[in-house]
Amino acid sequence: MSAILEATSLNKTFGAVTAAKDINVAVAKDEIVGIIGANGAGKTTFVNMVTGWLPPSSGSIKFDGKDITGLAPRKITRLGICRSFQVAQVFMTATVFDNLLIALGIADSHGFAALKPLRVADREARADAILRRYQIHDYRDQVAGTLPQGIRKLLDIAMAMVAQPKILLLDEPTSGISIEEKFGLMDIVMAALKEDGVTVLFVEHDMEIVERYVGRVLAFYQGEIICDAPPAQALVDPKVIEFVIGDEPQGQMMRERAAVQGGAQGEASDA
Ligand code: ATP
């Protein structure tokens, strides 16, 4: 596998707290990776190190073969790793369209391009195309602060994608979204990201979302990756059930499913 992202022997300590312990993980282009773990397990620390928000205490991170360990977030964004936060980072008093234009303006703002006015025809056309891709064009002229939560989330992710990153890290994309809305929102997001050909890593507490949308799960516990496997395997792993999803809303369901699978395996080996 040729890795687009590779963390090697990554460690992070805060005084006596070990937030990342010997993380070794390689992610291939186009993978969709779910990062799970209980509160304080080290998920955000990992994302922060990959995006340059925190320097690791030791170890290295490579992106597309280039060492990016400890680079500033702006440099890492420019290289092609972007992130979106749990709480949508949008300009609440600006319209959806203007939010997109501002994000595109920032993404374009290097060299002489920084001197271009914000409203130029090609940028406006790009903004409209992105709004259509994320199915929020109907909200184009609405002020972001008045948007339903799910639409604001879509806008936030669309804004994170304007720089055309190769890797996107999402922090709990369905947090604050109703049960009725969450699959619809994720269907739109995942279809758009697939079209853009971006590798996705997202932190998620909702195991139904993990099960449905990721190809691979990284389960964190006390700063370590305790399981790295496809969801069908990871979500019934006894360690993952004990240390990660036991307290999550779907924990009971996952435990029951693991028990059924364990029983079936037992019966098969008895036969
Ligand atoms: P959550 O789901 O609550 O966001 P998490 O899995 O993202 O949790 P982290 O935020 O990465 O966990 O935290 C891992 C550990 O590192 C925790 O014990 C946390 O208290 C500690 N930690 C994180 N950031 C800092 C910091 N800046 N200073 C001190 N300790 C920190």
Side-chain angles (χ1 to χ4, degrees), residues 14 17-19 37-46 54 86 172 203 205:
F14 297 104
V17 176
T18 301
N39 291 339
K43 307 176 298 292
T44 310
T45 300
F46 176 68
L54 270 180
Q86 192 174 343
E172 290 198 58
V203 173
H205 282 280

Side-chain angles (χ1 to χ4, degrees), residues 96-111:
V96 168
F97 186 64
D98 283 350
N99 263 284
L100 246 285
L101 279 186
I102 294 165
L104 282 164
I106 293 168
D108 291 344
S109 66
H110 37 84

Side-chain angles (χ1 to χ4, degrees), residues 9 11 142 167 204 234 261 264:
S9 308
N11 292 284
Q142 194 167 325
I167 296 180
E204 187 56 73
Q261 286 189 7

Side-chain angles (χ1 to χ4, degrees), residues 17-59:
V17 176
T18 301
K21 189 175 174 194
D22 196 25
I23 305 277
N24 290 284
V25 62
V27 175
K29 188 177 165 334
D30 297 332
E31 270 197 290
I32 309 288
V33 179
I35 299 174
I36 65 172
N39 291 339
K43 307 176 298 292
T44 310
T45 300
F46 176 68
V47 169
N48 282 341
M49 289 190 292
V50 170
T51 50
W53 288 64
L54 270 180
S57 304
S58 63

Side-chain angles (χ1 to χ4, degrees), residues 6-270:
E6 196 170 5
T8 308
S9 308
L10 214 52
N11 292 284
K12 181 72 190 176
T13 51
F14 297 104
V17 176
T18 301
K21 189 175 174 194
D22 196 25
I23 305 277
N24 290 284
V25 62
V27 175
K29 188 177 165 334
D30 297 332
E31 270 197 290
I32 309 288
V33 179
I35 299 174
I36 65 172
N39 291 339
K43 307 176 298 292
T44 310
T45 300
F46 176 68
V47 169
N48 282 341
M49 289 190 292
V50 170
T51 50
W53 288 64
L54 270 180
S57 304
S58 63
S60 71
I61 306 168
K62 277 188 182 166
F63 166 59
D64 241 353
K66 179 182 160 62
D67 191 343
I68 58 161
T69 320
L71 287 186
R74 233 172 89 87
K75 285 200 172 144
I76 292 181
T77 302
R78 285 252 183 265
L79 286 172
I81 301 181
C82 289
R83 78 188 289 187
S84 115
F85 292 86
Q86 192 174 343
V87 177
Q89 307 287 301
V90 301
F91 299 101
M92 292 292 197
T93 55
T95 64
V96 168
F97 186 64
D98 283 350
N99 263 284
L100 246 285
L101 279 186
I102 294 165
L104 282 164
I106 293 168
D108 291 344
S109 66
H110 37 84
F112 288 114
L115 304 173
K116 261 170 79 171
L118 208 52
R119 289 176 198 284
V120 287
D122 77 304
R123 193 177 283 150
E124 291 189 331
R126 278 156 64 207
D128 276 324
I130 294 169
L131 292 180
R132 283 196 194 90
R133 175 169 302 176
Y134 285 85
Q135 300 187 26
I136 50 177
H137 202 266
D138 287 352
Y139 299 87
R140 183 184 190 272
D141 300 317
Q142 194 167 325
V143 170
T146 66
L147 292 172
Q149 185 76 357
I151 304 298
R152 199 180 301 150
K153 201 90 183 182
L154 286 169
L155 172 61
D156 181 53
I157 294 172
M159 287 169 68
M161 283 301 295
V162 297
Q164 298 179 308
K166 291 183 181 159
I167 296 180
L168 181 66
L169 293 113
L170 301 171
D171 195 359
E172 290 198 58
T174 61
S175 135
I177 307 296
S178 70
I179 292 172
E180 298 76 37
E181 280 181 300
K182 67 181 184 182
F183 293 129
L185 176 128
M186 285 301 285
D187 284 349
I188 295 170
V189 169
M190 287 309 181
L193 297 180
K194 192 169 182 202
E195 205 173 313
D196 282 333
V198 66
T199 304
V200 184
L201 289 86
F202 69 89
V203 173
E204 187 56 73
H205 282 280
D206 186 323
M207 296 305 138
E208 287 182 330
I209 296 292
V210 171
E211 188 170 40
R212 191 151 162 165
Y213 295 99
V214 312
R216 175 179 176 191
V217 173
L218 300 179
F220 281 73
Y221 176 64
Q222 295 189 343
E224 286 184 80
I225 294 178
I226 56 167
C227 182
D228 176 354
Q233 205 177 316
L235 298 182
V236 295
D237 182 289
K239 274 194 293 185
V240 174
I241 289 178
E242 183 175 359
F243 298 123
V244 183
I245 52 184
D247 296 331
E248 303 287 358
Q250 300 98 352
Q252 182 61 28
M253 181 183 82
M254 300 294 175
R255 266 196 299 274
E256 285 166 7
R257 197 182 302 168
V260 169
Q261 286 189 7
Q265 274 162 17
E267 282 165 26
S269 56
D270 290 347

